[in-house]
Amino acid sequence: MDFSDLPDDELWLQMQDDLYDGMKEEVAAETNEALKRGYGPTEVLEKGLVAGMDVVGVDFRDGVLFVPEVLMAANSMKAGMEILRPLLTETGAPRVGKVVIGTVKGDIHDIGKNLVAMMLEGAGFEVINLGVNVDADKFLAAIKEHKPDIIGMSALLTTTMPYMKVVNQMLIDERMREEIYVMVGGAPVSETFAMAVGADAYGRDAATSVDIAKAYMDNVRKQDKIDKAAAAANQ
């Protein structure tokens, strides 16, 4: 599998197309080829993997792609990320943000949650996926260890949905709620329910969840700039 003859612009487009089509081996080979040409891991991530997943997200939201196809694309993205992740860690490259995500206690459904996690990673987030049947203590431990910007909770059963409020209350009790943006989702979850359990946002589907997370981080960065400018003006 040789992509050495492709000009750089065509290599990026080929990587995006192969990711879209769920071609894991090709995406891995193209990632290695881009690194061999001297591109840094952040640039490869943004121009190849993130750009490809952006198209996947739009087409999923618009009904052009469906869950099986998006999972294939996300797995292809993962093949590239396995190569880039250690390099990104070494260089200390900034990520879009950090997310802790899990399916709440009593619920073992994970396809939708995993899809959100993979698409978030494809959008440039660092994602800590806690898996299924995650209780409040496990969420709390992960938050203390990883210090995420966002926590995402999923449920597919109406009987487990109320546990989202338990986790939110725990954050309030631990005086951590104001520091973390809480997102919830899952087939039976609605925006009304999300507000009732104290969440900040409801992710209707994976693509929407990524858009909400990116918008939140954009606002955080803008506010940081405003705060720094105000602090400098007061000195």
Side-chain angles (χ1 to χ4, degrees):
M1 202 174 298
D2 185 8
F3 298 97
S4 59
D5 292 338
L6 289 179
D8 289 3
D9 288 347
E10 290 185 25
L11 178 64
W12 299 128
L13 291 174
Q14 189 65 52
M15 189 186 301
Q16 295 163 24
D17 287 347
D18 287 342
L19 186 151
Y20 188 97
D21 292 334
M23 302 172 77
K24 289 178 65 174
E25 293 180 6
E26 286 80 355
V27 170
E30 289 148 0
T31 300
N32 281 321
E33 176 63 29
L35 292 169
K36 192 165 70 175
R37 295 186 188 190
Y39 287 101
T42 302
E43 198 165 11
V44 178
L45 175 66
E46 291 175 354
K47 290 187 174 182
L49 303 183
V50 172
M53 283 303 291
D54 281 347
V55 179
V56 171
V58 170
D59 281 0
F60 178 51
R61 188 180 59 226
D62 293 346
V64 177
L65 293 179
F66 299 96
V67 170
E69 296 157 312
V70 177
L71 286 172
M72 287 177 63
N75 278 322
S76 297
M77 178 274 299
K78 202 171 181 180
M81 279 304 302
E82 286 173 0
I83 297 166
L84 296 179
R85 191 177 289 111
L87 300 175
L88 290 165
T89 302
E90 284 176 17
T91 58
R95 304 300 297 275
V96 173
K98 188 182 290 187
V99 182
V100 163
I101 190 169
T103 303
V104 296
K105 182 180 178 181
D107 204 319
I108 58 170
H109 296 88
D110 67 353
I111 292 177
K113 181 263 300 174
N114 286 345
L115 181 57
V116 172
M118 287 189 285
M119 289 188 68
L120 282 168
E121 193 167 17
F125 284 84
E126 180 181 348
V127 180
I128 297 91
N129 190 340
L130 302 180
V132 300
N133 193 30
V134 183
D135 62 19
D137 288 340
K138 191 170 181 181
F139 273 116
L140 179 61
I143 291 166
K144 287 181 176 179
E145 178 182 355
H146 299 287
K147 298 179 173 54
D149 304 288
I150 299 169
I151 176 176
M153 292 183 282
S154 173
L156 200 67
L157 302 174
T158 55
T159 52
T160 59
M161 286 164 53
Y163 196 77
M164 293 173 173
K165 189 169 186 177
V166 174
V167 177
N168 191 69
Q169 185 60 49
M170 173 207 67
L171 293 174
I172 295 171
D173 294 342
E174 294 286 332
R175 301 180 185 277
M176 301 169 73
R177 181 63 182 86
E178 291 185 6
E179 303 167 16
I180 298 172
Y181 192 72
V182 177
M183 295 179 60
V184 299
V189 179
S190 66
E191 187 154 7
T192 301
F193 179 82
M195 299 304 105
V197 298
D200 295 303
Y202 158 63
R204 176 171 49 85
D205 53 42
T208 303
S209 298
V210 172
D211 287 344
I212 291 170
K214 287 166 68 175
Y216 170 69
M217 293 309 304
D218 284 344
N219 287 333
V220 168
R221 282 189 290 273
K222 287 175 185 174
Q223 188 60 50
D224 284 346
K225 287 182 180 178
I226 293 170
D227 291 345
K228 287 177 182 176
N234 291 328
Q235 285 180 350

